[in-house]
Amino acid sequence: MEKFVLKYFNLIRTIIAILIGFAVSVLILVIVSTSSIESIKYLFLGPFMSVSRIGNIVELATPIIFCGIAIAIPFQASQFNVGAEGTFFISAAFGTAFALIIQKLNLPGFIYIVLVLTFATLFGGFWGFIPGYLKARFKANMVVLTLMLNYAAYFLSIYLINYHFRDKSAGFLTSYRLPENIFLKQFVPNTRIHIGFLIAIASVFIAYYFLYHTTLGYEIRMVGFNFHFAKYSGIDVFKVIVLSSVIGGLFAGLGGMAEVMGIHRRFLWQSLPGYGWDGVVVAIIGKNNPILIMFASLFLAYLRIGGRVLNLLSDVPFEMVGVIESIIILLITAEAFLENVKYRITVKEAEKEVFKNGSLS
Amino acid sequence: MDAQISVRDIVKVYPNGVVANKKVSLDIQEKTIHAIVGENGAGKTTLTKILFGLELPQEGEIFVKGKKVHFRSPIDAIKMGIGMVHQHFMLAENLTVFENLILGIEPTKFKIFLDKKTAKEKILKYIEKYKIDIPLEKKIKELPIGVKQRVEIFKALLRDVDILILDEPTAVLTPQEAEVLFESLRELKNQGETIIFISHKLKEIKAIADVITIMRDGRVISTNSNEELTQHDIARLMVGREVSFERVEEPKEIGKVVLTVKNLTYTNSERIKVLKNINFEVREGEIVGIAGVEGNGQTELVELITGLKTPTEGEIRLFDENISGKSVREIRTRGLVHIPEDRMKNGVAEKAKLKENLISDRYYKPPFSNKGALNYNYIDSEANRLVKDFNIITQSIENPVSSLSGGNIQKVIVTRELSSNPKVIIASQPARGIDVGSEELVHNFIKEARDKKCAVLLVSADLDEILKLSTRVLVIYNGEIVKSFNEVSTLRAEDLGPYMLGVKRGD
Ligand SMILES: Nc1ncnc2c1ncn2[C@@H]1O[C@H](COP(=O)(O)OP(=O)(O)OP(=O)(O)O)[C@@H](O)[C@H]1O
Ligand SMILES: [Mg+2]
């Protein structure tokens, strides 16, 4: 039993953290809500109460997964690149523009889709290259750089869409609608779950393989662990800093365009949607491990949808929903949480080994 | 007689399940210098960390000055008058030496303002008293490792403690520096202090300790007074077999020149000329020792040769090819390996797995990887083989390096560097912090490499190591090679001293 606990300790800890988070949320709901039983049900079960809501979870998780990976890769190299937000956005904008421009070629659907997704992915890579190169070359501060670039990405995208690709017939600021044959198919009835989700899952495994099973992934991680050591060992630190940002950018770019092609079918954002920041959250919860990030994204999306349902159907103020969400995330990310329980079990096990039958072995 | 410190049945289990202290009991008498020796991983650092409140034991009792104590943090220990010099430095890299020294004991004016003047006066007084030379205004990260060590020791002395714990304080000091330290320690003892001293240098132990405790595998196996043991006895008790301290035999055959350093000059970022017109050669099958007090340019010399820095002037030739300005990778692929002086900074990625640390110089070569994909089957089997061959004590190759003892971390580095069939070895104190048994192993590996026609440049502040291994010895002082000795077998440490200190110059 104790050996079992040790082996799956991290999983068990997360589950307990979630349960405690839920318990605290219940407490809050009991205090703030007049019909607390109902509210509790909305928050926790709401997301599963209909196919379309389950669909909402998956839809919301999709861009978060992409951004989580985009953040995790530079984070693994200890490059605090928080540019996923802007990269996601600008790649979607330029990808949309590109799709509209080459629309005239009347390419067959599949080729068209691949071409546009590739373009947006590469654009994301290019956008990731900028801070990567500036950091490597001029030792600029990564956080500041990418924050600034997020602004640049935002204004550039809005300019591009509003001035050059704006659909004047629409009643609001948006780009022209994309042609039908470039839509990513929504393949689950009554939901908007689209092919982009499958691409996200594939990306998770690709990123995982990349980080832990390739030489470049190894180099990225070693630079992240100790950059002096990497240099001393002969790893090209310059290359790693640049490439970790580029590769992160690829995933953000792909995610941005997939979102446009799968859900909105046009570029209609007028403000940054915030997926990049969710990406930071899930990257931290998932310890920069793509597979854990996938679960973290689904979980975050579940919380968000629960909050949406709660907000919609109960008297609980929207702000409270945010509070509950952050409490749960806080508990999960608290490294030290339950650490001493693990320690106590370890000690007992180890002592059993060393001092068999109560005497010195 | 009442002991100053008594520990009873201390058991320490680390979170990964390693039992580092298995019911350790020990009495340390007042006004003595009490040495603790033992193999790498025997649990010495763990025991001292417990005494300093850095680690909590699971079982056992500690009495300090007759009072039972429960240290929850170093603050509790400091309150009881205990100070510690750590094996791996605990200095704030980005602060200056001065700032580090007053960290935590800042004298204040009106309890708010930092009273720099009083602090400085006190520090200068102590510098005078202990004759420890440290640059107060420099940042820690700019200092060579030997100077960092001096700062760490000085910091402990400044705290006016009456029990001082020193965990391998001399590992990077020259004998002269160590002698100064020992003088201070004896002086402190006479003033009534109790000193706990850990070292792998048995000579030092013999020279300074009153009482010697030997630990093995988490247990105390004996405590004797110094007079009862010879150096050989200690070695035997520690590792369970005879250990040789003899000089290695002379090389049979010395071949062609492999490494040439020509008119090498290096000016650092502060425009200080730290290396001035250095010239020497290293040939196949010989070990050239570079002796010098830490901070006289050897750090930079090694960094230049290994590609971590680029020379200001001059040339470094490896196999008749100028390698200055080439990348570390390019230099390494030519068969040069490097055992760095600062193991925690350069030598390992602490938080990475042991196996990942063992492949950092070869992961990109087949069969470690094929077309960019790592081959874990091969990596694991190689890592396991190396751990076994070089006797690295660990539970698993999956564990992070940070869970190894200091000496075992050093073994990880030595293992990696020497296991790639090098043609040139640049070694900065390769046996630093390694126990006598493993030291013999490391020295044998280097000697075997030499006999396989490897060219070795050995940079060390440890003169015993230099005199044991070197075919020739160069002395570096203030960025210059001030003397070279071609005949080492009759050379004594005393002969090198004056040159290392700049008192004498050769031709
Ligand atoms: N932080 C840690 N986590 C897990 N295990 C540890 C940790 N620190 C030390 N150990 C283990 O505890 C044992 C004793 O280590 P310790 O550092 O006390 O040895 P030591 O006698 O000081 O050795 P050395 O001479 O090499 O410094 C070793 O097996 C080591 O691997
Ligand atoms: Mg130690």
Side-chain angles (χ1 to χ4, degrees):
Chain A
M1 173 62 197
E2 273 145 356
K3 289 237 164 80
F4 172 85
V5 174
L6 282 182
K7 189 153 176 224
Y8 297 102
F9 183 76
N10 280 329
L11 183 66
I12 294 171
R13 168 167 62 187
T14 308
I15 292 171
I16 294 179
I18 292 172
L19 290 179
I20 294 178
F22 281 3
V24 174
S25 321
V26 165
L27 205 72
I28 293 178
L29 288 180
V30 168
I31 295 166
V32 301
S33 174
T34 44
S35 51
S36 42
I37 304 284
E38 288 292 289
S39 303
I40 291 166
K41 207 174 88 189
Y42 292 142
L43 179 62
F44 297 123
L45 303 178
F48 298 124
M49 277 190 314
S50 70
V51 176
S52 88
R53 289 212 192 117
I54 295 176
N56 289 150
I57 298 178
V58 177
E59 288 155 27
L60 181 59
T62 304
I64 301 180
I65 292 174
F66 281 114
C67 287
I69 299 172
I71 293 284
I73 291 174
F75 270 29
Q76 286 260 14
S78 285
Q79 299 302 312
F80 296 103
N81 179 327
V82 292
E85 182 78 33
T87 315
F88 181 91
F89 197 75
I90 197 169
S91 308
F94 277 78
T96 304
F98 179 74
L100 292 169
I101 292 168
I102 65 166
Q103 184 179 3
K104 295 185 231 39
L105 301 176
N106 276 327
L107 295 166
F110 182 71
I111 295 181
Y112 190 21
I113 289 176
V114 171
L115 204 62
V116 170
L117 282 179
T118 309
F119 174 85
T121 306
L122 293 179
F123 193 92
F126 158 72
W127 197 255
F129 171 81
I130 302 172
Y133 181 79
L134 292 177
K135 165 73 193 282
R137 181 81 182 75
F138 302 108
K139 304 212 161 39
N141 181 304
M142 195 52 129
V143 179
V144 175
L145 256 172
T146 46
L147 279 175
M148 286 313 170
L149 278 165
N150 283 349
Y151 279 111
Y154 170 73
F155 288 113
L156 219 67
S157 310
I158 294 296
Y159 163 79
L160 179 78
I161 298 300
N162 288 359
Y163 284 83
H164 298 283
F165 294 91
R166 179 172 165 201
D167 184 355
K168 303 205 175 56
S169 63
F172 54 107
L173 281 171
T174 176
S175 77
Y176 294 110
R177 213 172 139 77
L178 291 175
E180 194 113 6
N181 64 345
I182 200 177
F183 291 3
L184 290 179
K185 193 164 153 39
Q186 297 178 343
F187 59 93
V188 182
N190 296 324
T191 73
R192 296 189 299 170
I193 300 175
H194 56 95
I195 304 287
F197 177 64
L198 302 183
I199 302 176
I201 300 301
S203 300
V204 164
F205 289 99
I206 292 170
Y208 181 84
Y209 183 83
F210 168 71
L211 281 170
Y212 297 99
H213 288 269
T214 68
T215 51
L216 183 54
Y218 173 84
E219 290 173 346
I220 286 178
R221 289 184 303 113
M222 291 309 125
V223 169
F225 279 127
N226 177 354
F227 127 102
H228 294 288
F229 168 68
K231 219 167 108 180
Y232 149 90
S233 300
I235 293 172
D236 186 346
V237 177
F238 189 98
K239 175 189 90 177
V240 168
I241 292 176
V242 177
L243 285 186
S244 63
S245 273
V246 170
I247 294 167
L250 296 176
F251 286 101
L254 177 62
M257 198 61 218
E259 189 68 3
V260 169
M261 285 157 66
I263 301 276
H264 310 298
R265 278 82 198 266
R266 61 192 340 161
F267 189 94
L268 46 60
W269 289 302
Q270 288 298 315
S271 60
L272 292 166
Y275 296 132
W277 300 115
D278 291 340
V280 176
V281 172
V282 294
I284 292 170
I285 297 180
K287 302 200 159 58
N288 298 328
N289 175 332
I291 293 178
L292 298 180
I293 286 173
M294 173 175 69
F295 290 116
S297 305
L298 285 164
F299 181 71
L300 183 63
Y302 156 76
L303 283 184
R304 287 271 158 81
I305 301 301
R308 237 182 254 173
V309 176
L310 183 66
N311 187 38
L312 220 61
L313 301 182
S314 79
D315 58 345
V316 179
F318 183 70
E319 290 77 5
M320 246 20 253
V321 176
V323 170
I324 290 173
E325 186 189 303
S326 23
I327 288 175
I328 294 179
I329 291 172
L330 225 118
L331 280 168
I332 299 177
T333 48
E335 288 263 340
F337 180 62
L338 290 183
E339 204 50 57
N340 53 6
V341 173
K342 178 182 179 188
Y343 194 19
R344 275 208 293 276
I345 303 174
T346 319
V347 168
K348 256 206 275 171
E349 285 292 304
E351 287 189 343
K352 255 193 258 167
E353 288 279 310
V354 176
F355 308 109
K356 278 185 194 121
N357 321 323
S359 67
L360 286 176
S361 60
Chain B
M1 190 162 52
D2 239 10
Q4 185 81 340
I5 298 184
S6 293
V7 297
R8 287 286 167 269
D9 295 323
I10 291 282
V11 173
K12 171 67 194 178
V13 186
Y14 278 109
N16 60 0
V18 172
V19 187
N21 282 177
K22 302 169 184 169
K23 305 217 175 182
V24 170
S25 297
L26 188 62
D27 286 320
I28 290 159
Q29 306 302 338
E30 198 184 350
K31 294 191 192 179
T32 51
I33 299 184
H34 194 125
I36 303 177
V37 296
E39 283 180 290
N40 295 129
K44 307 179 293 295
T45 297
T46 305
L47 180 63
T48 51
K49 277 185 176 165
I50 291 171
L51 290 178
F52 192 58
L54 274 169
E55 295 283 357
L56 300 181
Q58 271 66 49
E59 284 176 25
E61 298 175 316
I62 303 172
F63 300 89
V64 177
K65 298 168 192 167
K67 244 174 60 192
K68 186 165 176 183
V69 292
H70 290 278
F71 292 153
R72 307 238 128 240
S73 79
I75 297 172
D76 299 340
I78 292 167
K79 279 197 195 124
M80 289 298 287
I82 300 179
M84 179 156 175
V85 174
H86 301 278
Q87 183 171 14
H88 295 130
F89 309 137
M90 304 216 171
L91 298 167
E93 288 274 314
N94 281 317
L95 297 184
T96 63
V97 171
F98 178 70
E99 287 162 337
N100 264 284
L101 287 175
I102 59 173
L103 215 59
I105 51 156
E106 300 93 339
T108 48
K109 262 190 195 140
F110 317 118
K111 294 201 160 31
I112 309 174
F113 303 107
L114 180 58
D115 186 356
K116 277 206 176 162
K117 212 172 128 232
T118 316
K120 195 130 194 182
E121 274 166 13
K122 179 171 178 190
I123 288 173
L124 291 175
K125 212 172 81 205
Y126 276 64
I127 288 184
E128 182 88 11
K129 181 167 159 198
Y130 294 112
K131 301 188 198 62
I132 292 184
D133 182 22
I134 42 176
L136 287 179
E137 298 310 324
K138 278 214 172 147
K139 284 195 177 156
I140 295 292
K141 64 178 177 193
E142 296 163 2
L143 301 178
I145 193 153
V147 184
K148 282 188 198 170
Q149 180 71 74
R150 275 182 245 157
V151 175
E152 182 82 62
I153 294 170
F154 192 76
K155 191 172 163 190
L157 294 176
L158 206 56
R159 301 278 184 286
D160 291 326
V161 294
D162 39 43
I163 299 168
L164 184 57
I165 304 171
L166 302 124
D167 192 355
E168 298 191 31
T170 57
V172 293
L173 299 184
T174 53
Q176 287 84 358
E177 289 177 299
E179 197 38 56
V180 174
L181 173 69
F182 291 166
E183 274 309 309
S184 320
L185 293 184
R186 287 190 193 105
E187 175 62 34
L188 287 172
K189 181 179 91 173
N190 293 337
Q191 290 168 15
E193 287 203 24
T194 307
I195 292 160
I196 301 174
F197 183 83
I198 299 177
S199 173
H200 288 293
K201 298 182 184 169
L202 302 185
K203 242 191 206 171
E204 291 180 359
I205 301 280
K206 283 297 293 175
I208 190 166
D210 299 312
V211 182
I212 301 171
T213 290
I214 298 176
M215 285 183 76
R216 197 198 290 178
D217 189 25
R219 302 189 172 89
V220 168
I221 58 171
S222 71
T223 297
N224 296 80
S225 75
N226 190 343
E227 296 76 40
E228 293 165 9
L229 299 171
T230 66
Q231 199 170 319
H232 279 93
D233 294 336
I234 304 173
R236 187 161 21 78
L237 286 168
M238 258 172 77
V239 290
R241 62 176 166 84
E242 286 296 330
V243 178
S244 143
F245 298 97
E246 298 301 305
R247 173 170 160 75
V248 300
E249 69 258 32
E250 299 301 323
K252 293 197 185 55
E253 137 178 45
I254 294 177
K256 61 176 200 294
V257 173
V258 175
L259 180 72
T260 313
V261 172
K262 221 191 234 164
N263 304 332
L264 190 69
T265 296
Y266 180 72
T267 309
N268 69 10
S269 56
E270 289 161 34
R271 296 165 187 283
I272 298 169
K273 238 189 197 182
V274 283
L275 288 177
K276 300 161 197 154
N277 198 25
I278 302 268
N279 287 288
F280 65 87
E281 289 173 345
V282 187
R283 293 163 180 273
E284 271 176 356
E286 71 168 348
I287 300 175
V288 174
I290 295 205
V293 178
E294 201 82 37
N296 276 286
Q298 48 281 65
T299 309
E300 288 80 5
L301 178 63
V302 167
E303 286 179 336
L304 290 169
I305 298 175
T306 53
L308 288 167
K309 285 202 165 97
T310 347
T312 316
E313 272 169 55
E315 248 185 22
I316 299 162
R317 302 188 73 83
L318 185 63
F319 298 112
D320 269 334
E321 185 188 9
N322 188 358
I323 54 160
S324 39
K326 288 220 184 325
S327 74
V328 175
R329 173 66 55 82
E330 285 170 314
I331 294 171
R332 277 183 175 271
T333 48
R334 284 163 174 75
L336 181 141
V337 298
H338 173 196
I339 299 169
E341 67 167 21
D342 191 340
R343 62 172 169 238
M344 300 318 274
K345 179 180 165 201
N346 289 315
V348 289
E350 258 186 281
K351 297 204 187 79
K353 292 177 180 179
L354 175 52
K355 67 178 185 188
E356 290 173 329
N357 274 281
L358 283 170
I359 59 165
S360 71
D361 62 336
R362 60 196 74 163
Y363 64 91
Y364 63 94
K365 294 181 193 158
F368 293 95
S369 63
N370 294 307
K371 301 195 184 72
L374 295 171
N375 175 358
Y376 277 118
N377 282 334
Y378 187 73
I379 291 171
D380 290 0
S381 72
E382 267 298 285
N384 277 317
R385 184 180 70 80
L386 292 175
V387 164
K388 217 171 120 250
D389 284 3
F390 286 73
N391 192 22
I392 297 170
I393 296 165
T394 176
Q395 279 178 310
S396 149
I397 54 167
E398 306 290 332
N399 281 358
V401 163
S402 57
S403 73
L404 269 55
S405 78
N408 279 296
I409 294 176
Q410 182 70 19
K411 284 197 237 167
V412 171
I413 300 166
V414 172
T415 304
R416 179 185 60 223
E417 300 301 311
L418 297 190
S419 61
S420 64
N421 275 322
K423 299 198 182 93
V424 184
I425 299 172
I426 311 292
S428 288
Q429 211 157 340
R432 173 179 175 211
I434 290 189
D435 67 52
V436 281
S438 307
E439 178 177 76
E440 198 184 13
L441 195 74
V442 170
H443 287 166
N444 274 336
F445 278 118
I446 292 180
K447 180 189 152 276
E448 276 163 29
R450 177 199 79 182
D451 291 340
K452 279 190 260 169
K453 301 184 81 179
C454 190
V456 184
L457 185 69
L458 174 72
V459 181
S460 186
D462 179 351
L463 291 185
D464 291 329
E465 184 168 51
I466 293 266
L467 293 176
K468 181 176 169 192
L469 291 174
S470 309
T471 323
R472 291 190 290 130
V473 176
L474 310 175
V475 183
I476 190 168
Y477 174 73
N478 200 12
E480 285 177 283
I481 303 280
V482 291
K483 176 77 184 167
S484 75
F485 295 93
N486 291 325
E487 179 54 49
V488 185
S489 56
T490 55
L491 203 59
R492 292 163 310 154
E494 300 86 86
D495 303 329
L496 293 170
Y499 295 97
M500 292 169 67
L501 295 173
V503 184
K504 252 166 107 177
R505 268 189 85 110
D507 24 290

